[in-house]
Coordinates of all heavy atoms in Angstrom, one line a residue:
L1 N -114.0 24.5 260.4 CA -113.7 25.5 259.4 C -114.4 26.8 259.6 O -115.4 26.9 260.2 CB -114.1 24.9 258.0 CG -113.3 23.7 257.5 CD1 -113.8 23.3 256.2 CD2 -111.8 24.0 257.4
F2 N -113.8 27.9 259.0 CA -114.4 29.2 259.1 C -115.6 29.3 258.1 O -115.6 28.7 257.0 CB -113.3 30.2 258.7 CG -112.2 30.3 259.6 CD1 -111.0 29.8 259.3 CD2 -112.3 30.9 260.9 CE1 -109.9 29.8 260.1 CE2 -111.2 31.0 261.7 CZ -110.0 30.4 261.4
P3 N -116.5 30.1 258.5 CA -117.6 30.5 257.5 C -117.0 31.1 256.3 O -116.0 31.8 256.4 CB -118.5 31.4 258.3 CG -118.2 31.2 259.7 CD -116.8 30.7 259.8
S4 N -117.6 30.9 255.1 CA -117.1 31.5 253.9 C -116.9 33.0 253.9 O -116.0 33.5 253.3 CB -117.9 31.1 252.7 OG -119.2 31.6 252.8
F5 N -117.7 33.7 254.7 CA -117.6 35.2 254.8 C -116.2 35.5 255.3 O -115.5 36.4 254.8 CB -118.7 35.7 255.7 CG -118.5 37.2 256.0 CD1 -118.8 38.1 255.0 CD2 -118.0 37.6 257.2 CE1 -118.6 39.5 255.2 CE2 -117.9 39.0 257.5 CZ -118.2 39.9 256.5
Y6 N -115.7 34.8 256.4 CA -114.5 35.2 257.0 C -113.3 34.8 256.1 O -112.3 35.5 256.0 CB -114.3 34.4 258.3 CG -115.3 35.0 259.3 CD1 -116.4 34.2 259.8 CD2 -115.2 36.3 259.9 CE1 -117.3 34.7 260.7 CE2 -116.1 36.7 260.8 CZ -117.1 36.0 261.2 OH -118.0 36.4 262.1
L7 N -113.4 33.7 255.4 CA -112.4 33.3 254.4 C -112.3 34.3 253.3 O -111.2 34.6 252.9 CB -112.7 31.9 253.8 CG -112.6 30.7 254.8 CD1 -113.0 29.4 254.1 CD2 -111.2 30.6 255.3
R8 N -113.4 34.9 252.8 CA -113.3 35.9 251.8 C -112.6 37.1 252.3 O -111.8 37.7 251.6 CB -114.8 36.2 251.4 CG -114.8 37.3 250.3 CD -116.2 37.4 249.7 NE -116.1 38.4 248.7 CZ -117.0 39.5 248.6 NH1 -117.9 39.6 249.5 NH2 -116.8 40.4 247.6
I9 N -112.9 37.6 253.5 CA -112.2 38.7 254.1 C -110.7 38.4 254.2 O -109.9 39.3 253.8 CB -112.8 39.1 255.4 CG1 -114.2 39.7 255.2 CG2 -112.0 40.1 256.1 CD1 -115.0 39.9 256.5
Y10 N -110.4 37.3 254.7 CA -108.9 36.9 254.8 C -108.3 36.9 253.5 O -107.2 37.4 253.3 CB -108.9 35.5 255.5 CG -107.5 35.1 255.8 CD1 -106.7 35.7 256.7 CD2 -106.9 34.0 255.1 CE1 -105.4 35.3 257.0 CE2 -105.6 33.6 255.4 CZ -104.9 34.2 256.3 OH -103.6 33.8 256.6
W11 N -108.9 36.3 252.5 CA -108.3 36.2 251.1 C -108.1 37.6 250.6 O -107.0 37.9 250.0 CB -109.2 35.4 250.2 CG -109.0 35.6 248.8 CD1 -109.8 36.3 247.9 CD2 -107.8 35.2 248.0 NE1 -109.2 36.3 246.7 CE2 -108.0 35.6 246.7 CE3 -106.7 34.5 248.4 CZ2 -107.1 35.3 245.7 CZ3 -105.7 34.2 247.4 CH2 -105.9 34.7 246.1
E12 N -109.0 38.5 250.7 CA -108.9 39.9 250.1 C -107.8 40.7 250.7 O -107.4 41.7 250.1 CB -110.3 40.6 250.2 CG -111.3 40.0 249.3 CD -112.7 40.6 249.5 OE1 -112.9 41.4 250.5 OE2 -113.6 40.4 248.7
K13 N -107.4 40.4 251.9 CA -106.2 41.1 252.5 C -104.9 40.7 251.8 O -104.0 41.5 251.9 CB -106.2 40.8 254.0 CG -107.3 41.4 254.8 CD -107.2 41.2 256.2 CE -108.3 41.8 257.0 NZ -108.2 41.6 258.4
G14 N -104.9 39.5 251.2 CA -103.6 39.1 250.6 C -102.6 38.5 251.5 O -102.8 38.6 252.7
F15 N -101.6 37.9 250.9 CA -100.5 37.3 251.7 C -99.2 37.9 251.3 O -99.1 38.6 250.2 CB -100.4 35.8 251.4 CG -101.7 35.0 251.5 CD1 -102.4 34.7 250.4 CD2 -102.1 34.6 252.8 CE1 -103.6 34.0 250.6 CE2 -103.3 33.9 252.9 CZ -104.0 33.6 251.8
E16 N -98.1 37.7 252.0 CA -96.8 38.0 251.6 C -96.5 37.0 250.4 O -96.7 35.8 250.5 CB -95.8 37.8 252.7 CG -95.8 38.8 253.8 CD -94.7 38.7 254.8 OE1 -94.0 37.6 254.8 OE2 -94.5 39.6 255.6
W17 N -96.0 37.5 249.3 CA -95.7 36.7 248.2 C -94.6 35.6 248.5 O -94.7 34.5 248.0 CB -95.2 37.5 247.0 CG -96.2 38.5 246.5 CD1 -97.4 38.9 247.0 CD2 -96.1 39.1 245.2 NE1 -98.0 39.7 246.2 CE2 -97.3 39.9 245.1 CE3 -95.2 39.1 244.2 CZ2 -97.6 40.6 243.9 CZ3 -95.5 39.8 243.0 CH2 -96.7 40.6 242.9
G18 N -93.7 36.0 249.4 CA -92.7 35.0 249.8 C -93.2 33.8 250.4 O -92.7 32.7 250.3
R19 N -94.3 34.0 251.2 CA -95.0 32.8 251.8 C -95.5 31.9 250.8 O -95.4 30.6 250.9 CB -96.1 33.4 252.7 CG -96.9 32.3 253.4 CD -98.0 32.9 254.3 NE -99.0 31.9 254.7 CZ -100.2 32.1 255.1 NH1 -100.6 33.4 255.3 NH2 -101.0 31.1 255.5
L20 N -96.1 32.4 249.8 CA -96.7 31.6 248.7 C -95.6 30.9 247.9 O -95.7 29.8 247.5 CB -97.6 32.4 247.8 CG -98.8 33.0 248.4 CD1 -99.5 34.1 247.5 CD2 -99.8 31.9 248.7
I21 N -94.5 31.6 247.7 CA -93.3 31.0 246.9 C -92.7 29.9 247.7 O -92.5 28.8 247.2 CB -92.3 32.1 246.6 CG1 -92.9 33.1 245.6 CG2 -91.0 31.5 246.1 CD1 -92.1 34.4 245.4
R22 N -92.5 30.1 249.0 CA -91.9 29.1 249.9 C -92.8 27.8 249.9 O -92.4 26.7 249.9 CB -91.7 29.6 251.3 CG -90.5 30.5 251.4 CD -90.1 30.9 252.9 NE -91.2 31.5 253.6 CZ -91.5 32.8 253.5 NH1 -90.8 33.6 252.8 NH2 -92.5 33.3 254.2
A23 N -94.1 28.1 250.1 CA -95.1 26.9 250.1 C -95.0 26.2 248.8 O -95.1 24.9 248.7 CB -96.5 27.4 250.4
S24 N -95.0 26.9 247.7 CA -94.9 26.3 246.3 C -93.6 25.4 246.2 O -93.7 24.2 245.8 CB -94.9 27.3 245.2 OG -96.1 28.0 245.2
I25 N -92.5 26.0 246.6 CA -91.2 25.2 246.5 C -91.3 24.0 247.4 O -90.8 22.9 247.0 CB -90.1 26.1 246.9 CG1 -89.9 27.2 245.8 CG2 -88.8 25.3 247.1 CD1 -88.9 28.3 246.2
H26 N -91.8 24.1 248.6 CA -91.9 23.0 249.6 C -92.7 21.9 248.9 O -92.2 20.7 248.9 CB -92.6 23.5 250.8 CG -93.1 22.4 251.7 ND1 -92.3 21.7 252.6 CD2 -94.4 21.8 251.9 CE1 -93.0 20.7 253.2 NE2 -94.2 20.8 252.8
H27 N -93.9 22.2 248.4 CA -94.7 21.1 247.8 C -94.1 20.5 246.5 O -94.2 19.3 246.3 CB -96.1 21.6 247.6 CG -96.9 21.8 248.8 ND1 -97.2 20.8 249.7 CD2 -97.3 22.9 249.4 CE1 -97.9 21.3 250.8 NE2 -97.9 22.6 250.6
L28 N -93.4 21.3 245.8 CA -92.7 20.8 244.6 C -91.6 19.9 245.0 O -91.5 18.8 244.4 CB -92.1 22.0 243.7 CG -91.4 21.6 242.5 CD1 -92.2 20.8 241.5 CD2 -90.8 22.8 241.8
F29 N -90.8 20.2 246.0 CA -89.7 19.4 246.4 C -90.2 18.1 247.0 O -89.6 17.0 246.9 CB -88.8 20.1 247.4 CG -87.8 21.0 246.7 CD1 -87.3 22.1 247.4 CD2 -87.3 20.8 245.4 CE1 -86.4 23.0 246.8 CE2 -86.4 21.7 244.8 CZ -86.0 22.8 245.5
K30 N -91.3 18.2 247.8 CA -91.8 17.0 248.4 C -92.3 16.0 247.3 O -92.1 14.8 247.4 CB -93.0 17.3 249.4 CG -92.6 17.9 250.7 CD -91.8 16.9 251.5 CE -91.6 17.4 252.9 NZ -91.0 16.4 253.8
F31 N -93.0 16.5 246.3 CA -93.5 15.7 245.2 C -92.3 15.1 244.4 O -92.2 13.9 244.1 CB -94.4 16.5 244.3 CG -94.9 15.6 243.1 CD1 -95.9 14.7 243.3 CD2 -94.3 15.8 241.9 CE1 -96.3 13.9 242.2 CE2 -94.7 15.0 240.8 CZ -95.7 14.1 241.0
A32 N -91.3 16.0 244.2 CA -90.1 15.5 243.4 C -89.3 14.5 244.2 O -88.7 13.6 243.5 CB -89.2 16.7 243.1
S33 N -89.4 14.5 245.5 CA -88.7 13.5 246.3 C -89.5 12.2 246.5 O -89.0 11.3 247.2 CB -88.3 14.0 247.6 OG -89.4 14.2 248.5
G34 N -90.7 12.1 245.9 CA -91.4 10.9 245.9 C -92.6 10.8 246.8 O -93.3 9.8 246.9
E35 N -92.9 11.9 247.5 CA -94.0 12.0 248.4 C -95.2 12.6 247.7 O -95.2 13.7 247.3 CB -93.7 12.8 249.6 CG -94.8 12.8 250.7 CD -94.4 13.6 251.9 OE1 -93.6 13.0 252.7 OE2 -94.8 14.7 252.1
D36 N -96.3 11.8 247.5 CA -97.4 12.3 246.7 C -98.4 13.1 247.5 O -99.0 14.0 247.1 CB -98.2 11.1 246.0 CG -97.3 10.4 245.0 OD1 -96.5 11.1 244.3 OD2 -97.5 9.2 244.8
I37 N -98.6 12.6 248.8 CA -99.7 13.2 249.6 C -99.1 14.0 250.8 O -98.2 13.5 251.5 CB -100.6 12.1 250.1 CG1 -101.2 11.3 249.0 CG2 -101.7 12.7 251.0 CD1 -102.1 12.1 248.0
D38 N -99.6 15.2 251.0 CA -99.1 16.0 252.2 C -99.7 15.3 253.4 O -100.9 15.2 253.6 CB -99.6 17.4 252.0 CG -99.3 18.3 253.2 OD1 -98.2 18.2 253.7 OD2 -100.2 19.1 253.6
P39 N -98.9 14.9 254.4 CA -99.4 14.2 255.5 C -100.2 15.1 256.5 O -101.1 14.6 257.2 CB -98.1 13.7 256.3 CG -97.0 14.6 255.7 CD -97.4 15.0 254.4
D40 N -100.0 16.4 256.4 CA -100.8 17.3 257.3 C -102.2 17.5 256.8 O -103.1 17.6 257.6 CB -100.1 18.7 257.4 CG -98.7 18.6 258.1 OD1 -98.6 17.8 259.0 OD2 -97.8 19.4 257.7
S41 N -102.4 17.6 255.5 CA -103.7 17.9 255.0 C -104.4 16.7 254.4 O -105.6 16.7 254.3 CB -103.6 19.0 253.9 OG -103.0 18.5 252.8
G42 N -103.6 15.7 253.9 CA -104.2 14.6 253.2 C -104.4 14.8 251.7 O -105.0 14.0 251.0
Y43 N -104.1 16.0 251.3 CA -104.2 16.4 249.8 C -102.9 16.2 249.1 O -101.8 16.2 249.7 CB -104.7 17.8 249.7 CG -106.1 18.1 250.2 CD1 -106.3 18.9 251.3 CD2 -107.2 17.5 249.6 CE1 -107.6 19.1 251.8 CE2 -108.5 17.7 250.1 CZ -108.6 18.5 251.2 OH -109.9 18.8 251.7
S44 N -103.0 16.1 247.8 CA -101.9 15.9 246.9 C -100.9 17.2 247.0 O -101.4 18.3 247.1 CB -102.4 15.8 245.5 OG -101.3 16.1 244.6
H45 N -99.6 16.9 247.0 CA -98.7 18.0 247.0 C -98.8 18.8 245.7 O -98.7 20.0 245.7 CB -97.2 17.4 247.1 CG -96.8 17.1 248.4 ND1 -96.7 18.0 249.5 CD2 -96.5 15.9 249.0 CE1 -96.3 17.4 250.6 NE2 -96.2 16.1 250.3
L46 N -99.2 18.1 244.6 CA -99.4 18.8 243.3 C -100.6 19.8 243.4 O -100.6 20.8 242.9 CB -99.6 17.9 242.2 CG -98.3 17.2 241.8 CD1 -98.6 16.2 240.6 CD2 -97.2 18.1 241.4
A47 N -101.7 19.3 244.2 CA -102.8 20.2 244.4 C -102.4 21.4 245.1 O -102.8 22.6 244.8 CB -103.9 19.4 245.1
H48 N -101.7 21.3 246.2 CA -101.2 22.4 247.0 C -100.3 23.3 246.1 O -100.4 24.6 246.2 CB -100.4 21.9 248.2 CG -101.2 21.5 249.3 ND1 -102.0 22.3 250.1 CD2 -101.3 20.2 249.9 CE1 -102.6 21.5 251.0 NE2 -102.2 20.3 250.9
L49 N -99.4 22.7 245.3 CA -98.6 23.5 244.4 C -99.4 24.3 243.5 O -99.2 25.6 243.3 CB -97.6 22.6 243.7 CG -96.7 23.2 242.6 CD1 -95.8 24.3 243.2 CD2 -96.0 22.1 241.9
G50 N -100.4 23.7 242.8 CA -101.2 24.4 241.8 C -102.0 25.5 242.5 O -102.1 26.7 241.9
C51 N -102.5 25.3 243.7 CA -103.3 26.3 244.4 C -102.4 27.5 244.7 O -102.8 28.7 244.5 CB -103.9 25.7 245.6 SG -104.9 26.8 246.6
N52 N -101.2 27.2 245.3 CA -100.3 28.3 245.6 C -99.8 29.1 244.4 O -99.7 30.3 244.5 CB -99.1 27.7 246.4 CG -99.4 27.4 247.8 OD1 -99.8 28.3 248.6 ND2 -99.2 26.2 248.2
V53 N -99.6 28.5 243.3 CA -99.2 29.2 242.1 C -100.3 30.1 241.6 O -100.1 31.2 241.2 CB -98.7 28.2 241.0 CG1 -98.6 28.9 239.7 CG2 -97.4 27.6 241.4
L54 N -101.6 29.6 241.7 CA -102.7 30.4 241.3 C -103.0 31.5 242.2 O -103.3 32.6 241.8 CB -104.0 29.5 241.1 CG -103.9 28.6 239.9 CD1 -105.1 27.6 239.9 CD2 -103.8 29.3 238.6
F55 N -102.8 31.3 243.5 CA -102.8 32.4 244.5 C -101.8 33.5 244.1 O -102.1 34.7 244.1 CB -102.5 31.9 245.9 CG -103.7 31.3 246.7 CD1 -103.5 30.3 247.6 CD2 -105.0 31.8 246.5 CE1 -104.5 29.8 248.3 CE2 -106.0 31.3 247.2 CZ -105.8 30.3 248.1
L56 N -100.6 33.1 243.8 CA -99.5 34.0 243.5 C -99.8 34.8 242.3 O -99.6 36.0 242.2 CB -98.2 33.2 243.4 CG -96.9 34.0 243.3 CD1 -96.8 35.0 244.5 CD2 -95.7 33.1 243.2
L57 N -100.3 34.1 241.2 CA -100.7 34.8 240.0 C -101.8 35.8 240.3 O -101.7 37.0 239.8 CB -101.2 33.8 239.0 CG -101.7 34.4 237.6 CD1 -100.6 35.2 236.9 CD2 -102.2 33.3 236.8
T58 N -102.8 35.5 241.1 CA -103.9 36.4 241.4 C -103.4 37.6 242.2 O -103.8 38.7 241.9 CB -105.0 35.7 242.2 OG1 -105.4 34.5 241.4 CG2 -106.1 36.6 242.6
H59 N -102.4 37.3 243.1 CA -101.8 38.4 243.9 C -101.1 39.4 242.9 O -101.2 40.6 243.1 CB -100.8 37.9 244.9 CG -101.5 37.5 246.2 ND1 -102.5 36.5 246.3 CD2 -101.3 37.9 247.4 CE1 -102.8 36.4 247.5 NE2 -102.1 37.2 248.3
Q60 N -100.4 38.9 242.0 CA -99.7 39.7 241.0 C -100.7 40.5 240.1 O -100.5 41.7 240.0 CB -98.7 38.9 240.1 CG -97.9 39.7 239.2 CD -97.1 38.9 238.2 OE1 -97.6 37.9 237.7 NE2 -95.9 39.3 238.0
L61 N -101.7 39.8 239.6 CA -102.6 40.5 238.7 C -103.5 41.5 239.4 O -103.8 42.6 238.8 CB -103.5 39.5 238.0 CG -102.8 38.5 237.1 CD1 -103.8 37.4 236.6 CD2 -102.2 39.2 235.9
R62 N -103.8 41.3 240.7 CA -104.7 42.2 241.4 C -103.9 43.1 242.4 O -104.5 43.9 243.1 CB -105.7 41.4 242.2 CG -106.7 40.6 241.3 CD -107.7 39.9 242.1 NE -108.6 39.1 241.3 CZ -109.6 38.4 241.8 NH1 -109.7 38.2 243.1 NH2 -110.4 37.7 241.0
N63 N -102.6 43.0 242.4 CA -101.8 43.8 243.3 C -102.2 43.6 244.7 O -102.4 44.6 245.5 CB -101.8 45.3 242.9 CG -100.7 46.1 243.5 OD1 -99.6 45.5 243.8 ND2 -100.9 47.3 243.7
L64 N -102.3 42.3 245.1 CA -102.6 42.0 246.5 C -101.4 41.7 247.3 O -100.4 41.3 246.8 CB -103.6 40.8 246.5 CG -104.9 40.9 245.9 CD1 -105.7 39.6 245.9 CD2 -105.8 41.9 246.7
G65 N -101.5 41.7 248.6 CA -100.5 41.3 249.5 C -99.2 42.1 249.4 O -99.3 43.3 248.9
Q66 N -98.1 41.6 249.8 CA -96.8 42.3 249.8 C -95.8 41.5 249.0 O -95.5 40.4 249.2 CB -96.3 42.4 251.3 CG -95.0 43.1 251.3 CD -94.4 43.1 252.7 OE1 -94.9 42.5 253.6 NE2 -93.2 43.7 252.9
D67 N -95.3 42.2 247.9 CA -94.3 41.6 247.1 C -92.9 41.7 247.8 O -92.3 42.7 247.8 CB -94.2 42.4 245.7 CG -93.2 41.8 244.8 OD1 -92.5 40.9 245.2 OD2 -93.1 42.3 243.7
N68 N -92.6 40.7 248.5 CA -91.4 40.6 249.3 C -90.4 39.6 248.7 O -89.6 39.0 249.4 CB -91.7 40.3 250.8 CG -92.3 39.0 251.0 OD1 -92.8 38.4 250.1 ND2 -92.2 38.5 252.2
R69 N -90.4 39.4 247.4 CA -89.5 38.5 246.7 C -88.1 39.0 246.9 O -87.8 40.2 247.0 CB -89.8 38.4 245.2 CG -91.1 37.8 244.9 CD -91.4 37.9 243.4 NE -91.7 39.2 243.0 CZ -91.8 39.7 241.8 NH1 -91.7 38.8 240.8 NH2 -92.2 40.9 241.5
V70 N -87.2 38.0 247.0 CA -85.8 38.3 247.1 C -85.2 38.5 245.7 O -85.4 37.6 244.9 CB -85.0 37.2 247.8 CG1 -83.5 37.4 247.9 CG2 -85.6 37.0 249.2
K71 N -84.6 39.7 245.4 CA -84.1 39.9 244.1 C -82.7 39.4 244.1 O -81.8 39.7 244.8 CB -84.0 41.4 243.9 CG -85.4 42.2 244.1 CD -86.5 41.7 243.2 CE -87.7 42.6 243.4 NZ -88.9 41.9 243.5
L72 N -82.5 38.4 243.1 CA -81.2 37.8 243.0 C -80.3 38.5 241.9 O -80.8 39.0 241.0 CB -81.4 36.3 242.6 CG -82.2 35.4 243.6 CD1 -82.3 34.0 243.0 CD2 -81.5 35.4 244.9
S73 N -79.0 38.4 242.1 CA -78.1 38.9 241.1 C -78.1 38.0 239.9 O -78.5 36.8 240.0 CB -76.7 39.0 241.7 OG -76.1 37.7 241.9
Q74 N -77.5 38.5 238.8 CA -77.4 37.6 237.6 C -76.6 36.4 237.9 O -76.9 35.3 237.4 CB -76.8 38.4 236.5 CG -76.8 37.7 235.1 CD -78.2 37.4 234.6 OE1 -79.1 38.1 234.8 NE2 -78.3 36.2 234.0
E75 N -75.5 36.5 238.7 CA -74.7 35.4 239.0 C -75.5 34.3 239.8 O -75.3 33.1 239.6 CB -73.5 35.9 239.8 CG -72.5 34.8 240.2 CD -71.3 35.3 241.0 OE1 -71.1 36.5 241.2 OE2 -70.6 34.4 241.5
Q76 N -76.3 34.8 240.8 CA -77.1 33.9 241.6 C -78.1 33.2 240.7 O -78.3 32.0 240.8 CB -77.8 34.6 242.7 CG -76.8 35.1 243.8 CD -77.5 36.1 244.7 OE1 -78.3 36.9 244.3 NE2 -77.2 35.9 246.0
L77 N -78.7 33.9 239.7 CA -79.7 33.3 238.8 C -79.0 32.2 238.0 O -79.6 31.1 237.7 CB -80.3 34.3 237.9 CG -81.3 35.3 238.6 CD1 -81.7 36.4 237.7 CD2 -82.5 34.5 239.1
E78 N -77.8 32.5 237.5 CA -77.1 31.5 236.6 C -76.8 30.3 237.4 O -76.9 29.1 236.9 CB -75.9 32.2 236.1 CG -76.2 33.2 235.0 CD -74.9 34.0 234.6 OE1 -73.8 33.7 235.0 OE2 -75.1 34.9 233.8
L79 N -76.4 30.4 238.7 CA -76.1 29.3 239.6 C -77.4 28.4 239.8 O -77.3 27.2 239.7 CB -75.5 29.7 240.9 CG -74.1 30.2 240.9 CD1 -73.7 30.8 242.3 CD2 -73.1 29.1 240.6
M80 N -78.5 29.1 240.0 CA -79.7 28.3 240.2 C -80.2 27.6 238.9 O -80.7 26.5 239.0 CB -80.8 29.3 240.6 CG -80.7 29.8 242.0 SD -82.1 30.8 242.6 CE -83.4 29.6 242.6
E81 N -79.9 28.1 237.8 CA -80.3 27.5 236.5 C -79.5 26.2 236.3 O -79.9 25.3 235.6 CB -80.1 28.4 235.4 CG -81.1 29.5 235.3 CD -80.9 30.5 234.2 OE1 -80.0 30.3 233.4 OE2 -81.7 31.4 234.1
K82 N -78.3 26.1 237.0 CA -77.5 24.9 236.8 C -78.0 23.7 237.7 O -77.5 22.6 237.5 CB -76.0 25.2 237.1 CG -75.4 26.1 236.1 CD -74.0 26.5 236.5 CE -73.3 27.4 235.5 NZ -72.0 27.8 235.9
L83 N -78.8 24.0 238.6 CA -79.3 23.0 239.6 C -80.2 22.0 238.9 O -80.9 22.2 238.0 CB -80.1 23.6 240.7 CG -79.2 24.5 241.7 CD1 -80.1 25.1 242.7 CD2 -78.1 23.7 242.3

């Protein structure tokens, strides 16, 4: 693992928001499909999901990273709500 100093520097640079959103969706779908533990890390998919959501909230509140969200039309949003 990296020393905490390097992790702090990495964190302060921020991430692309889309990366955090994709990771959140991935872990949510894995959990929803019946897989509790992420085989790569050995941690709960829900733990990963919670962490990613909190990262995303912090990015929004502190204006970190790059907001590269895909803006959907009203029709696309309505279709997604039906899923």
Side-chain angles (χ1 to χ4, degrees):
L1 291 177
F2 294 104
S4 61
F5 173 75
Y6 294 110
L7 291 175
R8 181 171 178 229
I9 291 172
Y10 183 68
W11 162 251
E12 289 175 349
K13 290 181 180 181
F15 306 102
E16 288 185 349
W17 293 19
R19 177 180 168 197
L20 295 168
I21 293 168
R22 285 189 302 277
S24 297
I25 291 169
H26 165 80
H27 291 292
L28 178 61
F29 281 152
K30 286 293 190 174
F31 180 78
S33 69
E35 185 175 283
D36 294 327
I37 304 298
D38 177 40
D40 294 326
S41 69
Y43 294 114
S44 162
H45 281 296
L46 289 179
H48 282 294
L49 174 62
C51 183
N52 281 302
V53 169
L54 290 174
F55 276 149
L56 192 55
L57 176 62
T58 302
H59 276 57
Q60 183 186 40
L61 294 174
R62 295 184 182 174
N63 196 29
L64 295 174
Q66 179 186 3
D67 180 357
N68 63 340
R69 293 176 287 174
V70 176
K71 309 299 188 222
L72 300 177
S73 69
Q74 187 61 36
E75 181 181 351
Q76 291 169 318
L77 289 171
E78 289 171 4
L79 285 172
M80 287 185 66
E81 288 177 1
K82 292 179 181 179
L83 296 177

